């Protein structure tokens, strides 16, 4: 069974607008971490934001925020004030204790001027 | 954040030859390193996890004799693709971490694009 599900293969957003990228996860562990990465065409994985399963506050990092709804097992990424440079693939990932990161299928975001 | 390097960034080799990819953690000691494979327009798939000084743990379906992983020190892991064939052409990404706890970040190398002709 898929542990991380990203249901949006592609998204478009106008420059300066906000966009939400969806992510749901599946785990029976109590302790886990949720991560979002950006992958531009160069291929490098750029860490954006982290949310721990015990964190009560939603994580924020600059223009990135993570909308964490534990009961629904969702960890959506919100990018505010989109910029042209935000165009890239975005991956949601989960890490359970003792395991490596598991990635979703990704969402390709295109920011339009 | 911590820096992980990978070498080479691109390699083209002939079918039947072996290729070695190096992954180094430059400013921290990585007790655990991971190797991922990514096909075009697809996600990252974990190939194996290695701990320094011990044998790598391979994911189901990954041939351990084909993809040899060595994690000889706390800063270096190598992936050797033996007797490479065109279907092994892919983007290989290494990742390093100070441990296996859920809260520990995995730091990624820039990736190696392998093309087998």
């Amino acid at each position: 069974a898929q542990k991380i599900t990203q249901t949006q293969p592609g998204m478009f957003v106008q420059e300066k607008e906000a966009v939400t990228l969806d992510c749901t996860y599946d785990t029976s562990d109590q302790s886990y971490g949720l991560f979002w990465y950006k992958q531009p065409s160069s291929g490098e994985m750029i860490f954006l934001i982290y949310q721990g399963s015990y964190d009560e506050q939603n994580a924020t990092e600059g223009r990135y925020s993570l909308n964490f709804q534990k009961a629904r097992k969702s960890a959506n990424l919100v990018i505010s004030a989109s910029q042209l440079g935000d165009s890239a693939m975005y991956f949601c990932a989960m890490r359970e204790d003792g395991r490596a990161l598991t990635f979703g299928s990704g969402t390709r975001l295109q920011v339009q001027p | 954040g911590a820096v992980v390097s990978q070498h080479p960034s691109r390699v083209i080799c002939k079918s039947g030859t072996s290729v070695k990819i190096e992954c180094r953690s430059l400013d921290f000691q990585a007790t655990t390193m991971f190797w991922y494979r990514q096909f075009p327009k697809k996600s990252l798939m974990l190939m194996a996890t290695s701990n320094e000084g011990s044998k790598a743990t391979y994911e189901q379906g990954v041939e351990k004799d084909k993809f040899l992983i060595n994690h000889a020190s706390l800063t270096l892991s190598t992936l050797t693709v033996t007797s490479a064939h065109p279907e092994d052409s892919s983007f290989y990404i290494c990742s390093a971490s100070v441990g296996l706890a859920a809260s520990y970040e995995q730091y990624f190398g820039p990736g190696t694009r392998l093309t087998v002709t």
Side-chain angles (χ1 to χ4, degrees):
Chain A
Q2 285 280 6
K3 289 207 164 193
I4 297 285
T5 303
Q6 294 180 253
T7 57
Q8 307 154 313
M11 289 282 285
F12 288 91
V13 66
Q14 290 292 124
E15 199 177 1
K16 299 179 186 174
E17 292 189 350
V19 62
T20 298
L21 306 184
D22 295 341
C23 173
T24 58
Y25 60 93
D26 182 27
T27 181
S28 56
D29 285 10
Q30 296 300 309
S31 175
Y32 53 90
L34 297 159
F35 299 78
W36 276 91
Y37 289 86
K38 173 183 178 181
Q39 187 180 43
S41 56
S42 61
E44 63 183 312
M45 297 295 287
I46 301 170
F47 165 74
L48 297 178
I49 196 165
Y50 162 80
Q51 179 86 40
S53 58
Y54 295 115
D55 295 340
E56 295 186 352
Q57 302 261 19
N58 284 342
T60 60
E61 289 284 352
R63 293 187 299 112
Y64 304 108
S65 60
L66 199 152
N67 184 359
F68 181 45
Q69 297 189 43
K70 194 169 182 176
R72 297 178 60 183
K73 291 189 174 177
S74 76
N76 298 340
L77 176 70
V78 180
I79 305 175
S80 63
S82 297
Q83 302 172 355
L84 294 177
D86 293 336
S87 295
M89 278 292 286
Y90 288 80
F91 291 101
C92 179
M94 177 174 66
R95 190 164 188 190
E96 298 160 300
D97 273 340
R99 299 279 302 159
L101 276 170
T102 303
F103 289 85
S105 56
T107 297
R108 179 164 295 283
L109 177 66
Q110 294 186 61
V111 181
Q112 297 175 318
Chain B
V3 180
V4 175
S5 70
Q6 234 179 291
H7 179 79
S9 57
R10 289 179 180 272
V11 58
I12 301 172
C13 71
K14 293 193 174 183
S15 190
T17 61
S18 294
V19 174
K20 181 185 281 190
I21 302 169
E22 289 189 351
C23 176
R24 293 181 186 272
S25 57
L26 299 185
D27 52 2
F28 70 101
Q29 294 189 321
T31 54
T32 309
M33 286 189 170
F34 311 90
W35 287 93
Y36 291 84
R37 183 175 183 177
Q38 186 179 29
F39 289 108
K41 301 189 190 306
K42 298 292 184 183
S43 187
L44 281 73
M45 299 300 297
L46 180 68
M47 298 174 67
T49 299
S50 73
N51 291 300
E52 183 261 340
S54 56
K55 287 185 179 180
T57 302
Y58 290 80
E59 295 298 299
Q60 194 172 5
V62 177
E63 299 175 58
K64 54 184 73 176
D65 293 333
K66 174 147 199 75
F67 298 101
L68 299 179
I69 291 169
N70 184 282
H71 190 169
S73 77
L74 286 172
T75 58
L76 174 65
S77 176
T78 59
L79 167 67
T80 302
V81 184
T82 62
S83 187
H85 290 284
E87 58 265 30
D88 299 325
S89 298
S90 192
F91 191 56
Y92 292 89
I93 309 176
C94 74
S95 177
S97 181
V98 296
L100 282 171
S103 60
Y104 289 159
E105 188 175 343
Q106 284 183 216
Y107 302 99
F108 286 86
T112 296
R113 196 164 301 282
L114 170 64
T115 303
V116 185
T117 61

